[in-house]
Amino acid sequence: MSRTNLKVDGRTIAISHADRALFPDGLTKRDLAEYYRRIAPFALAHYRDRPLSMERYPDGIEAGGFFQKDVPEFFPDWIDRIELKKEGGTITYAIANNAATLVYLANLACITPHLALARADQPNRPDRLVIDLDPSDNDFSKVQRAAAHVREVLEERSLKSFVQTTGSRGLHIVVPLDRSLDFEAVRAWARKFGEAVAARDSGLMTVEHRKAKRGDRVFLDLLRNAYGQTSVAPYAVRARPGAPVATPIRWDEALSSSMQPRKYTVRNIFRRLAQIEDPWAKLFDSAQRLHD
């Protein structure tokens, strides 16, 4: 059994089965742990104080994976956590407040962390609204056209927005919030907003939940704007061939003909980060109240 140790934040994290390939191209669990160790200085500003769900693939992405929310009993006590209410009980979530936690999760083959839309101190007061542009096919130009409509309607309402690739097929648009509204109010606003955007080009976009009724349109997915829901974390690796990374980008990049949702991967993301400032650096200073 291959095993290696990584020193992170003054802690020694044992990586078991370190040479196990998690991706078809041979990317190993050790590679995943090293990635999260290196990305931590960029990612943690977006992860801190947020309940985290784990998308795990212990035997690699081709063998399938599962989501895990509740922290197992064997988690070390130095990993921050929070117990939140759910229907019929509670769930104890991990919180990635440091690089050591990200590396520890990678050892569990947590390829993709997903983050709550509210911070732990006010779990029913979201500080961001997420619009997931989910295409019905692989035509990314449709996603870009839909994104332009979303941005246009937001700007008409004087609302700032940020965008990231998902590492899958679409884009996520994030609207930073001042936490003045609870999830119920934000979700109601989002529903009306989605309908207004879709009406701009009903042949391109839809808010129809049922896939059979979407046709080849882009689904404006606003369902994750609810208590207990999560969104893929910035700089998270996705369980797709090539290990693409969900990457914060500028709006001009998002709408460029050279952009693709899986453009950035664990193998080229650090070259990008060495050349540009984090496009989400001002997200935390842009909190705003939703209005029509």
Side-chain angles (χ1 to χ4, degrees):
M1 178 178 73
S2 60
R3 181 186 178 98
T4 192
N5 293 327
L6 290 182
K7 292 188 178 297
V8 190
D9 296 336
R11 302 186 184 279
T12 299
I13 312 296
I15 308 300
S16 62
H17 303 287
D19 293 332
R20 176 174 292 166
L22 298 180
F23 291 79
D25 63 0
L27 191 88
T28 66
K29 195 200 287 190
R30 178 191 291 108
D31 296 328
L32 183 71
E34 285 282 8
Y35 169 80
Y36 277 111
R37 182 184 64 80
R38 290 186 64 193
I39 204 66
F42 304 95
L44 286 176
H46 306 292
Y47 289 45
R48 286 192 183 97
D49 303 323
R50 293 186 186 280
L52 179 150
S53 296
M54 299 167 275
E55 187 179 348
R56 297 178 55 193
Y57 293 82
D59 297 311
I61 67 171
E62 293 183 306
F66 59 93
F67 275 87
Q68 181 174 350
K69 295 183 177 182
D70 229 341
V71 169
E73 292 183 0
F74 61 78
F75 265 41
D77 58 10
W78 53 262
I79 291 182
D80 293 326
R81 61 201 78 192
I82 183 172
E83 186 176 355
L84 297 179
K85 295 179 180 178
K86 68 168 186 175
E87 186 175 349
T90 62
I91 296 178
T92 300
Y93 291 89
I95 298 178
N97 284 333
N98 49 61
T101 298
L102 291 180
V103 172
Y104 184 88
L105 296 179
N107 179 53
L108 298 180
C110 173
I111 290 178
T112 311
H114 297 256
L115 301 176
L117 306 186
R119 300 199 297 272
D121 62 333
Q122 295 188 63
N124 196 38
R125 296 274 171 169
D127 67 349
R128 58 190 58 186
L129 180 151
V130 174
I131 305 162
D132 179 4
L133 303 183
D134 183 10
S136 298
D137 54 33
N138 292 316
D139 185 353
F140 187 62
S141 67
K142 292 180 183 177
V143 177
Q144 292 176 305
R145 287 159 50 206
H149 281 295
V150 171
R151 186 189 190 195
E152 180 181 76
V153 178
L154 288 170
E155 288 182 340
E156 289 172 0
R157 302 181 185 195
S158 300
L159 292 170
K160 298 177 182 177
S161 61
F162 297 77
V163 62
Q164 78 168 8
T165 65
T166 63
S168 182
R169 296 195 304 167
L171 291 170
H172 280 179
I173 298 171
V174 174
V175 181
L177 306 178
D178 64 3
R179 305 208 286 180
S180 60
L181 301 176
D182 62 17
F183 270 113
E184 184 177 356
V186 170
R187 190 176 178 87
W189 187 95
R191 182 170 55 251
K192 292 180 181 178
F193 174 81
E195 291 171 351
V197 174
R200 296 280 176 111
D201 189 340
S202 59
L204 172 68
M205 302 172 288
T206 181
V207 291
E208 175 57 59
H209 298 170
R210 288 166 290 187
K211 289 185 178 181
K213 291 194 174 184
R214 294 178 198 168
D216 60 359
R217 294 176 293 177
V218 176
F219 176 41
L220 305 182
D221 185 356
L222 294 150
L223 299 175
R224 65 191 66 247
N225 296 289
Y227 178 84
Q229 296 298 307
T230 60
S231 178
V232 65
Y235 300 111
V237 183
R238 302 308 304 272
R240 305 286 189 275
V245 172
T247 306
I249 55 178
R250 301 187 309 267
W251 265 110
D252 63 300
E253 293 179 294
L255 303 180
S256 168
S257 60
S258 65
M259 183 52 62
Q260 289 296 323
R262 302 185 190 180
K263 180 174 183 177
Y264 298 107
T265 72
V266 296
R267 292 182 170 84
N268 64 20
I269 187 65
F270 293 104
R271 182 164 62 250
R272 168 181 171 80
L273 293 172
Q275 297 171 345
I276 69 161
E277 181 184 3
D278 180 3
W280 284 18
K282 295 183 179 180
L283 187 148
F284 306 103
D285 301 323
S286 304
Q288 58 209 317
R289 184 182 177 89
L290 293 174
H291 54 268
D292 295 328

